[in-house]
Amino acid sequence: DGGITQSPKYLFRKEGQNVTLSCEQNLNHDAMYWYRQDPGQGLRLIYYSQIVNDFQKGDIAEGYSVSREKKESFPLTVTSAQKNPTAFYLCASRALQSSGANVLTFGAGSRLTVL
Amino acid sequence: AQSVTQLGSHVSVSEGALVLLRCNYSSSVPPYLFWYVQYPNQGLQLLLKYTTGATLVKGINGFEAEFKKSETSFHLTKPSAHMSDAAEYFCAVSDPPGANSKLTFGKGITLSVRP
């Protein structure tokens, strides 16, 4: 079945360490997104990419980095510069169709805890 | 700029009672509107969407929502709550579809269903 796979599901990190969250999709979607979710704050956009080798900052990009070397993959690195990285991270994707609504497909998420 | 307001963070209903989750939006262009549901430690799943045409939209699991332009609202309803409806619900607004179209999410409402 087509979908989005995020790994790992749970991740623990010591302060000062970088960590990379994986996001892979087999939906042949053009655009991919990373959101951060904190209790009571909804979803906030970190980065997004509409095409391979190109990506844009979202609303809260500081302390994060991404790459888009393949259409299927959009990994997110949480760097040591991110001051409060403990959160639930969601990856999403969509097809860029002018006739279709902006419907996102989400992965199951990765929960990062900084010790 | 678009925005979504979901008043309150928690709604509790009895099993079999009406579910009403409120959503108001702000958009400078005709909006596309969405409701997503999130079960614990999972990603978001599309419940329903409004693009154009009929203002009463039916979705999965017996939910429906009505687009009211004059009230800038898109409230989610279900006539009879089930225990399985307990989850977090997010309203979102989007520009009309296109390559640069992005979703803006509300902060979410947690629905509890009492036996």
Side-chain angles (χ1 to χ4, degrees), chain A residues 9-10 33 35 37 40-43 45 48 50 88 90 94 96-98 100-104 106-108 111, chain B residues 32 34 36 38 41-46 49 51 88 90 94-95 97-103 105-108:
Chain A
K9 179 70 172 176
Y10 298 95
Y33 304 80
Y35 289 90
Q37 184 178 15
Q41 296 194 46
L43 276 69
L45 183 62
Y48 65 102
Q50 297 170 328
F88 191 53
L90 287 161
R94 74 175 177 107
L96 293 177
Q97 302 169 2
S98 60
N102 189 356
V103 176
L104 296 181
F106 283 85
R111 186 168 298 281
Chain B
Y32 280 38
F34 306 81
Y36 283 85
Q38 183 182 34
N41 291 312
Q42 294 187 24
L44 276 68
Q45 177 184 3
L46 181 69
K49 65 180 187 290
T51 56
E88 191 161 16
F90 292 92
S94 170
D95 293 331
N100 295 318
S101 179
K102 289 186 291 182
L103 278 178
F105 287 88
K107 293 188 175 182

Side-chain angles (χ1 to χ4, degrees), chain A residues 19-33:
Chain A
V19 62
T20 297
L21 307 180
S22 171
C23 178
E24 303 279 334
Q25 55 101 356
N26 60 4
L27 300 165
N28 199 32
H29 283 174
D30 307 287
M32 298 186 73
Y33 304 80

Side-chain angles (χ1 to χ4, degrees), chain A residues 30 48-56 66-74:
Chain A
D30 307 287
Y48 65 102
S49 168
Q50 297 170 328
I51 193 171
V52 173
N53 292 323
D54 188 38
F55 46 83
Q56 288 78 42
V66 294
S67 63
R68 186 88 185 275
E69 298 178 359
K70 299 185 301 182
K71 186 176 184 178
E72 302 79 17
S73 179
F74 191 42

